[in-house]
Amino acid sequence: MSGDNNSPSGRNHCAYFHPNPSMAKPFSFNLLPLFFHCSLLLPSSATSPIQDDESHIISRFQQYLQINTSQPSPDYQKSTQFLLSQSLSLSLESQVLEFVERKPLVLLKWPGSDPSLPSILLNSHTDVVPSEHSKWTHPPFGSHIDEKGNIFARGSQDMKCVGMQYLEAVRKLKVSGFRPKRSLYMSFVPDEEIGGVHGARKFASSDFFKNMNVGIVLDEGLASPNENYRLFYGERTPWMIVIKSTGAPGHGAKLYDNSAMENLFLSIESIGRFRASQFDLVKSGLKAEGEVISVNMAFLKAGTPSPTGFVMNLQPSEAEAGFIPNTTNG
Ligand SMILES: [Zn+2]
């Protein structure tokens, strides 16, 4: 998921259940998207050893957040090293898969007592969306924690908190002496924020994935503003569409038909009307957010910028707009 939201992420702000588990995943695993995350989030007590443990949990989370994995130049080397060190401390089996060079996918395994059973896969992505540093109250990779326990960091919600919750849940289960019947995998995939082509897509279509015999995948959803973890099921298909229009270039003052901008705006207005019709269904309460087709414009590109800050006196011959529609399946 994207957006330059500078809201803090406290330790309670990291829930992730959503009707759209594959919301930002054009190439989701397409397996049964179901959700018992709650069972993995073990209750904590108020005893002092646990309190101490909690400070370590937060500290590990901060370490992960301090690694700058923002697109378009994520530091996957550092995130991989960090995840492997976590794996080592948990005595898990680990592998780094590079379906594409310098796009490491970290795969951890906790072998189950009955390997014949379908396995569980907990997925999260390691990359994060870019940040406009000047608009942050604290540096996006400083992982500042305030007196209320709020953590300020890019990726604190989307979705390093989820990856860390998987690891911390496993840590607690291991301490408790639990041993899973089914094998449990944790995948930390690259490039989700730019479509997952070199990450989840390659992984999901690999023999390696097939041999894992995955029965269920848990993935990201939405952050919760309170203590409740919402459970949803559903499957969505995101698309990424670029509409490019062309037209005759001309002087800025001239009125004529079929300019590139005019042509592009026909599409933008049409999509805008469709978006409004879908959104109205949600606003009126007739449909849930996950039951309609969402579509948002993600970028606009046209014209020649003027170095002086004034508008160039020219109507361009090409114009582009990028959209992210998200459709329901079935
Ligand atoms: Zn995400």
Side-chain angles (χ1 to χ4, degrees), residues 9-312:
S9 169
R11 67 187 67 174
N12 296 326
H13 297 182
C14 299
Y16 35 90
F17 297 99
H18 188 258
N20 177 4
S22 59
M23 188 171 182
K25 294 193 166 327
F27 309 105
S28 63
F29 296 106
N30 202 23
L31 292 171
L32 182 65
L34 243 223
F35 323 99
F36 340 132
H37 261 131
C38 288
S39 63
L40 292 172
L41 298 163
L42 302 180
S44 61
S45 78
T47 58
S48 55
I50 297 292
Q51 287 298 326
D52 182 52
D53 187 46
E54 282 185 358
S55 74
H56 287 109
I57 291 171
I58 297 301
S59 160
R60 286 189 287 268
F61 182 34
Q62 286 178 289
Q63 282 176 51
Y64 192 23
L65 292 170
Q66 281 163 358
I67 302 168
N68 184 343
T69 50
S70 64
Q71 293 290 356
S73 305
D75 191 343
Y76 287 140
Q77 203 183 339
K78 266 197 189 147
S79 59
T80 299
Q81 280 167 5
F82 172 78
L83 293 167
L84 291 178
S85 74
Q86 294 304 301
S87 170
L88 196 64
S89 73
L90 291 165
S91 304
L92 297 171
E93 294 176 13
S94 62
Q95 268 184 297
V96 179
L97 307 172
E98 279 202 13
F99 296 102
V100 174
E101 213 181 335
R102 293 192 297 279
K103 304 281 186 181
L105 184 157
V106 179
L107 186 66
L108 309 183
K109 182 181 181 184
W110 187 3
S113 57
D114 185 352
S116 69
L117 292 173
S119 65
I120 298 169
L121 174 62
L122 307 178
N123 183 63
S124 67
H125 59 82
T126 49
D127 61 324
V128 302
V129 290
S131 316
E132 292 177 83
H133 292 213
S134 64
K135 294 181 180 167
W136 284 63
T137 51
H138 301 282
F141 298 99
S143 198
H144 174 79
I145 185 163
D146 70 13
E147 65 284 351
K148 290 181 188 160
N150 294 316
I151 297 172
F152 296 74
R154 168 59 87 226
S156 55
Q157 293 187 354
D158 183 13
M159 66 176 291
K160 287 178 173 172
C161 66
V162 180
M164 285 311 291
Q165 285 177 48
Y166 295 152
L167 290 166
E168 298 301 342
V170 167
R171 194 180 300 277
K172 286 201 172 189
L173 286 167
K174 285 220 162 197
V175 168
S176 76
F178 178 83
R179 175 144 190 234
K181 227 169 149 181
R182 297 165 189 275
S183 289
L184 174 77
Y185 291 94
M186 283 176 277
S187 52
F188 296 82
V189 302
D191 281 9
E192 192 267 1
E193 299 292 5
I194 53 171
V197 177
H198 294 154
R201 185 190 207 183
K202 294 271 184 194
F203 182 42
S205 56
S206 69
D207 286 340
F208 197 93
F209 181 75
K210 204 182 281 178
N211 293 335
M212 286 161 60
N213 188 23
V214 175
I216 185 169
V217 182
L218 304 184
D219 205 342
E220 75 177 294
L222 279 186
S224 170
N226 54 43
E227 295 282 352
N228 299 321
Y229 291 92
R230 296 180 296 161
L231 305 183
F232 297 94
Y233 68 92
E235 193 174 354
R236 306 266 287 170
T237 303
W239 302 75
M240 288 178 184
I241 294 173
V242 176
I243 296 176
K244 188 171 180 178
S245 69
T246 56
H251 188 273
K254 186 174 164 55
L255 286 171
Y256 58 94
D257 286 325
N258 290 319
S259 74
M261 287 290 203
E262 184 188 17
N263 290 337
L264 183 66
F265 268 84
L266 289 175
S267 298
I268 291 174
E269 284 162 10
S270 170
I271 291 169
R273 283 192 295 275
F274 175 76
R275 182 185 187 278
S277 73
Q278 295 290 295
F279 203 4
D280 282 348
L281 292 171
V282 177
K283 286 175 181 168
S284 64
L286 290 171
K287 297 267 188 183
E289 211 176 311
E291 293 173 335
V292 297
I293 299 173
S294 68
V295 54
N296 290 302
M297 187 155 62
F299 79 82
L300 267 174
K301 194 168 81 181
T304 309
S306 160
T308 59
F310 288 97
V311 179
M312 191 71 77

